[in-house]
Amino acid sequence: MKILLLVGMAVLLGVADRAFCLSMAPPRPLAERVAEAEKVFLGTLMDRVEDGDWVRGELRVDTALRGVEEKQQIKVIWRKRVGDFQVYDAKQGARGIALLGDKHEGRYWLRADKFEPVEKLDEVAGLVARKGCGKPKVPSFEEWVKAGKPLPEDRMWTGGTPWFDETKGERRSAEEVYEMVYGQPAKGGAKAGAGGRFPAHWGDPPRVQTRDLRPLPGGYGQGSSTLANWIKANMEKDAARAKGGAK
């Protein structure tokens, strides 16, 4: 009986230790986390709902910095506790700077290292504005070829590799693959005003794309149907905003 009790206590202490390490582990440098974040903004927590150890809510975008629009609602989730051990929590109406990237159950994680104090707004805005912060540099076609024509590690292609066109049963040229991967012409540079790729307020292109190649809307060269649909949707949103503002 005593042995079983000691084993049980050891297990409970082990869980507590892991939870403690999870909550007390120092966050990575702010600049590094800002650079990696998909969405960066000052927001207010709305519609907070508890579900056991989990809490769900929505962050209203008050000041957009990257990948979002003002007044947009972003779904978030976090774990409030592990057993009796408090891990992290945020109250209804809490304001902070969201650095969102990873997801769980279709919602972005919200934790202490993802929700910075409002006082850091100027610092975070400066990091976002820094040239190239959080956005990998798009190489020119010549630079890409010289580097060995690598495919971005954060991109996935449904069904296999973009180097082979299954519809034609033949290998694609380097120019075709470059345009598919980076969404800009292999020769002649990027579309004027595209910032090397696309408008910053569109956020990041879809990571998972089909392997077909077609002309992209808006003069953005060639790319997959997935990318084309993403561009079209963003252009339609821009047109709707412009139309609304003209009223």
Side-chain angles (χ1 to χ4, degrees), residues 151-162 180-181 205-211 224 226:
L151 297 177
E153 294 181 357
D154 65 341
R155 297 281 290 281
M156 294 176 285
W157 305 90
T158 59
T161 172
M180 179 184 294
V181 170
R207 289 189 175 185
V208 180
Q209 299 186 25
T210 53
R211 291 181 294 142
S224 69
T226 311

Side-chain angles (χ1 to χ4, degrees), residues 183-195:
Q184 63 185 43
K187 303 295 182 180
K191 177 181 182 291

Side-chain angles (χ1 to χ4, degrees), residues 185-202:
K187 303 295 182 180
K191 177 181 182 291
R197 296 187 75 177
F198 309 106
H201 68 276
W202 287 6

Side-chain angles (χ1 to χ4, degrees), residues 126-169:
L127 290 169
V128 171
R130 183 183 299 171
K131 185 177 181 181
C133 180
K135 300 290 182 180
K137 178 181 179 295
V138 178
S140 67
F141 176 71
E142 290 74 16
E143 291 172 334
W144 180 66
V145 170
K146 186 176 181 180
K149 297 176 283 192
L151 297 177
E153 294 181 357
D154 65 341
R155 297 281 290 281
M156 294 176 285
W157 305 90
T158 59
T161 172
W163 283 102
F164 189 75
D165 187 346
E166 292 183 348
T167 61
K168 298 180 180 179

